């Protein structure tokens, strides 16, 4: 937990803030990146992972630049595009340009190689979140999935955009309606909250033998890159913990506990909510 973390409690939900200014990251010129968990040259033993959630990187890639071809294995990797255009190519033969509202998920399994670049001839950076989760099963056959969710679908609703295979509404096909399938015990939900509006996440039952069900909240930096104290759109969690753009919060709750997220600012806030078994 960071030195400026805030502990608070509503009902039996425990919250610990992960402040924007305490995240890792780097400005490489072509890439501006912020890391919630240890990644690349940023290492903090307090923030290596959270359950099966291993990486939340908020990336901005300059025009005609990107991540060259590189390999992954035994990891579930997905990209949530906020703005701009992200070109994806991989060793499975997939080539795709992703735009706002798109989610691309790669189940790396026994091994894949891929690249991600800002679209050729782009004039603005591409802003996206790169998220990794540890799979619950090893030696999986590599797979690729793509989904799209409009702003309208997410406005003032908490929409499930990634969910474990076998969950309600999950179709295990490359392109389909509903959440992207993941071979990991993590669910991702997204919302675009209007001022004064709120959404609720209800905790499922914790896994047997665990102290509680884990959750994580992240407020996306839609107003621009910032490594200092969070600014811009504001939300309040369970009427106690205030978060702004780039802030996050670890949560632990029991069955039927709630995370109530309210927009207390004067403009829409884009928020991600992770449910972690």
């Amino acid at each position: 937990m960071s030195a400026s973390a805030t502990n608070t409690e509503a009902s039996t939900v425990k919250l610990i803030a992960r402040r924007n200014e305490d995240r890792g990251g780097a400005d490489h010129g072509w890439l501006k990146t912020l890391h919630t968990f240890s990644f690349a040259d940023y290492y903090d033993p307090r923030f290596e992972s959270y359950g099966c959630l291993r990486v939340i990187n908020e990336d901005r890639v300059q025009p005609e630049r990107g991540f060259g071809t590189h390999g992954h294995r035994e990891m579930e990797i997905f990209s949530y595009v906020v703005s701009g255009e992200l070109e994806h190519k991989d060793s499975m033969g997939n080539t795709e340009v992703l735009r706002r509202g798109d989610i691309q998920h790669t189940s790396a399994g026994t091994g894949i190689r891929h690249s991600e670049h800002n679209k050729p001839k782009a004039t603005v950076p591409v802003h996206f979140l790169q998220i990794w989760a540890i799979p619950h099963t090893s030696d999986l056959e590599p797979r690729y999935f793509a989904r799209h969710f409009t702003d309208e679908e997410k406005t003032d609703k908490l929409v499930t955009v990634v969910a474990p295979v076998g969950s309600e509404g999950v179709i295990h096909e490359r392109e389909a309606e509903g959440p992207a399938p993941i071979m990991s015990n993590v669910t991702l939900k997204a919302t675009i909250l209007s001022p004064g509006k709120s959404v609720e996440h209800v905790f499922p039952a914790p896994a047997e033998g665990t102290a509680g069900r884990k959750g994580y909240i992240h407020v996306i930096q839609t107003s621009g890159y910032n490594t200092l104290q969070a600014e811009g759109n504001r939300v309040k969690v369970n009427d106690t913990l205030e978060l702004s753009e780039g802030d996050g919060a670890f949560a632990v709750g029991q069955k039927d506990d709630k995370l109530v997220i309210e927009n207390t600012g004067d403009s829409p806030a884009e928020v991600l909510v992770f449910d972690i078994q």
Side-chain angles (χ1 to χ4, degrees):
M1 142 189 350
S2 62
S4 62
T6 303
N7 287 277
T8 185
E9 187 169 329
S11 181
T12 58
V13 177
K14 296 180 180 179
L15 299 168
I16 301 176
R18 177 71 161 124
R19 294 298 180 190
N20 181 63
E21 65 268 28
D22 296 326
R23 288 196 287 174
D27 184 348
H28 299 288
W30 68 271
L31 167 68
K32 291 179 171 66
T33 182
L34 291 162
H35 309 317
T36 298
F37 300 105
S38 296
F39 191 87
D41 293 334
Y42 168 64
Y43 177 72
D44 187 327
R46 300 170 298 174
F47 301 109
E48 292 188 277
S49 62
Y50 190 50
C52 58
L53 186 58
R54 174 63 188 86
V55 169
I56 305 175
N57 290 348
E58 191 160 0
D59 293 342
R60 289 174 172 83
V61 176
Q62 292 299 309
E64 300 189 17
R65 299 299 299 271
F67 303 95
T69 303
H70 59 283
H72 292 282
R73 58 180 292 118
E74 304 298 353
M75 195 64 68
E76 302 290 292
I77 302 165
F78 46 103
S79 299
Y80 180 102
V81 180
V82 181
S83 62
E85 296 178 302
L86 181 69
E87 183 180 66
H88 169 95
K89 295 181 180 180
D90 64 42
S91 55
M92 294 179 282
N94 298 293
T95 299
E96 192 155 15
V97 175
L98 306 165
R99 299 174 176 86
R100 176 163 177 80
D102 287 338
I103 292 178
Q104 172 268 321
H105 169 226
T106 299
S107 182
T110 54
I112 58 97
R113 293 179 64 79
H114 72 176
S115 64
E116 293 171 308
H117 289 84
N118 197 332
K119 184 184 176 183
K121 300 183 180 179
T123 59
V124 297
V126 57
H127 176 199
F128 67 104
L129 283 93
Q130 182 182 169
I131 301 162
W132 298 7
I134 300 167
H136 53 58
T137 305
S138 60
D139 295 324
L140 292 166
E141 177 186 357
R143 295 286 300 270
Y144 177 90
F145 305 94
R147 298 292 188 269
H148 180 79
F149 297 88
T150 66
D151 283 5
E152 182 180 8
E153 287 177 279
K154 292 181 284 188
T155 296
D156 301 328
K157 296 180 287 293
L158 193 56
V159 178
T160 301
V161 297
V162 177
V165 172
S167 300
E168 182 179 356
V170 173
I171 301 172
H172 201 228
E173 299 291 343
R174 185 190 189 281
E175 296 184 16
E177 298 295 321
I182 187 170
M183 298 295 283
S184 182
N185 295 318
V186 61
T187 297
L188 173 60
K189 301 179 180 182
T191 185
I192 301 170
L193 269 181
S194 305
K197 298 293 186 177
S198 64
V199 292
E200 290 185 354
H201 166 69
V202 180
F203 284 91
E208 186 175 351
T210 62
R213 186 83 173 200
K214 294 180 174 69
Y216 189 81
I217 302 164
H218 178 76
V219 185
I220 297 175
Q221 278 191 347
T222 51
S223 297
Y225 176 72
N226 173 33
T227 62
L228 304 177
Q229 184 174 341
E231 299 176 339
N233 301 315
R234 302 189 307 276
V235 300
K236 185 177 285 188
V237 184
N238 286 3
D239 204 33
T240 52
L241 179 62
E242 294 186 345
L243 304 173
S244 292
E245 292 182 27
D247 285 338
F250 299 95
V252 178
Q254 303 301 317
K255 185 178 185 297
D256 295 329
D257 280 345
K258 295 179 180 179
L259 287 175
V260 180
I261 304 167
E262 180 187 4
N263 185 337
T264 55
D266 55 10
S267 55
E270 191 161 2
V271 183
L272 301 181
V273 178
F274 297 83
D275 173 64
I276 307 154
Q277 186 172 315

